[in-house]
Amino acid sequence: MIIKHLEDLRLIILDEVDSTNTYLKNNFDSLEDGSCVAALKQTAGRGRVGRKWLTGDGNNIAFSFKASKLKEPFHGGVLLGLASLLMLREVCPEGKFFFKWPNDIYALDLTGTSALKLSGILSEAVWEKGALKGVVSGIGINVNFSEKELENAGQPAISLSIIKKSKFDVIFLVEKLAKFLKECYIKYDCNFQEVLDLWKEENRLIGQIIEAVTPTGEAHVGVFKDILPDGAMLLEETGVEFRFDCGDIKLNTKRIDFKQLEREKKL
Ligand code: BTN
């Protein structure tokens, strides 16, 4: 285990753990607010709705942080998403990254005509006697996975090294991410609305025609109108507005003209 104090930021880097989210939840009371944990290997990495998350062996980012000062639990994902986007853009300026509601980061593939999952976030509320104590948010970012390794990801995915055409030092990225996260958290503490507005702006699918599929297979095709203050997605389908909560809604992007989005400087 390495414990880094980057100025007053606590970052614990573990060689191996079951899940960085589980680690933080188990050690919630003893770790200070804003503490970050990363692991080179997760043996039981968890995704949303009970899915598994593959981290590989030192190849990818598995990173979680503890937040006790959030206005809403979903803001943990907002902060971690924004910090990750800043880190990704700094280390890979040629990449075209954007948020895909509710909690993913997508990247354009090498043809620029479609987008693939680069990263996912799992936020978990921590409760004590019915009261919210805080949130643990964890992000997995595919960094050095090859196309072959991504075949096991369970959904079409891309890695940073595929975009950059070279491998990355994962610890270097993790340290950068922790620093950006600290900055975002401080900014949030001063003016949370500003941070939320920034996050919403990076949700580049707002205004696009998308297909939302519910866990029961019900499909809605319509315009992604907005993200509501509680994090829900508003979709307008033939004049009727539908609200989707941050459950496991699949967002299909195949109708989106990504080249057009690039021309409009939205990517
Ligand atoms: C998803 O897209 O389903 C969310 C994936 C979240 C994975 C990260 S990796 C770090 C943290 N630890 C976990 O067990 N899960 C999250």
Side-chain angles (χ1 to χ4, degrees):
M1 182 203 290
I2 308 170
I3 299 185
K4 298 213 168 192
H5 288 274
L6 309 161
E7 290 146 31
D8 60 340
L9 169 82
R10 173 183 265 253
L11 168 64
I12 300 171
I13 303 177
L14 304 167
D15 289 330
E16 185 177 316
V17 72
D18 49 0
S19 146
T20 51
N21 266 31
T22 309
Y23 180 93
L24 268 184
K25 279 165 61 181
N26 290 343
N27 295 286
F28 196 86
D29 291 332
S30 60
L31 291 170
E32 63 208 61
D33 188 34
S35 291
C36 304
V37 176
L40 296 177
K41 185 175 178 182
Q42 290 189 125
T43 52
R46 295 180 287 112
R48 287 196 303 277
V49 288
R51 281 189 298 251
K52 281 188 187 155
W53 183 266
L54 297 179
T55 310
D57 206 344
N59 278 326
N60 300 310
I61 291 177
F63 179 105
S64 304
F65 93 111
K66 164 186 169 169
S68 322
K69 290 188 295 197
L70 301 179
K71 311 269 178 224
E72 291 274 350
F74 90 90
H75 292 177
V78 166
L79 290 172
L80 195 48
L82 264 182
S84 301
L85 204 61
L86 292 170
M87 180 277 284
L88 289 168
R89 289 193 178 140
E90 188 173 294
V91 302
C92 187
E94 61 272 60
K96 304 284 178 190
F97 308 108
F98 63 92
F99 293 140
K100 180 174 177 238
W101 183 90
N103 258 326
D104 290 339
I105 299 177
Y106 266 54
L108 285 197
D109 69 4
L110 298 183
T111 68
T113 55
S114 71
L116 296 166
K117 181 159 170 162
L118 177 76
S119 159
I121 294 176
L122 174 69
S123 285
E124 298 177 284
V126 180
W127 300 90
E128 190 174 62
K129 295 186 187 132
L132 183 69
K133 270 208 300 192
V135 175
V136 167
S137 291
I139 190 161
I141 306 178
N142 300 323
V143 176
N144 290 324
F145 259 168
S146 64
E147 275 168 6
K148 183 101 195 98
E149 287 165 311
L150 287 169
E151 282 172 13
N152 301 320
Q155 53 190 313
I158 195 162
S159 70
L160 207 50
S161 64
I162 293 175
I163 300 167
K164 187 84 175 176
K165 300 191 179 78
S166 65
K167 300 251 179 190
F168 286 86
D169 174 344
V170 171
I171 293 191
F172 174 76
L173 299 189
V174 158
E175 287 181 8
K176 250 189 200 310
L177 172 54
K179 284 182 186 158
F180 277 122
L181 182 61
K182 187 184 168 197
E183 282 169 24
C184 290
Y185 202 13
I186 291 172
K187 206 176 198 177
Y188 175 91
D189 212 22
C190 299
N191 187 344
F192 78 96
Q193 195 54 52
E194 203 180 300
V195 174
L196 278 183
D197 291 346
L198 217 59
W199 173 78
K200 208 160 126 175
E201 208 178 292
E202 297 291 352
N203 276 272
R204 303 299 164 108
L205 302 186
I206 296 178
Q208 301 297 311
I209 296 179
I210 49 134
E211 181 183 43
V213 185
T214 67
T216 56
E218 201 184 301
H220 294 266
V221 177
V223 180
F224 183 167
K225 291 289 279 188
D226 202 2
I227 299 176
L228 301 173
D230 63 358
M233 175 181 70
L234 195 68
L235 183 95
E236 189 189 289
E237 187 182 21
T238 54
V240 182
E241 284 187 344
F242 289 88
R243 181 199 146 95
F244 294 94
D245 292 304
C246 305
D248 192 34
I249 304 293
K250 281 199 195 105
L251 279 199
N252 203 326
T253 56
K254 63 179 178 228
R255 287 161 207 269
I256 295 174
D257 183 347
F258 287 105
K259 291 271 181 208
Q260 178 64 26
L261 276 186
E262 262 196 283
R263 282 193 292 275
E264 289 170 6
K265 306 254 178 289
K266 289 192 177 147
L267 287 177

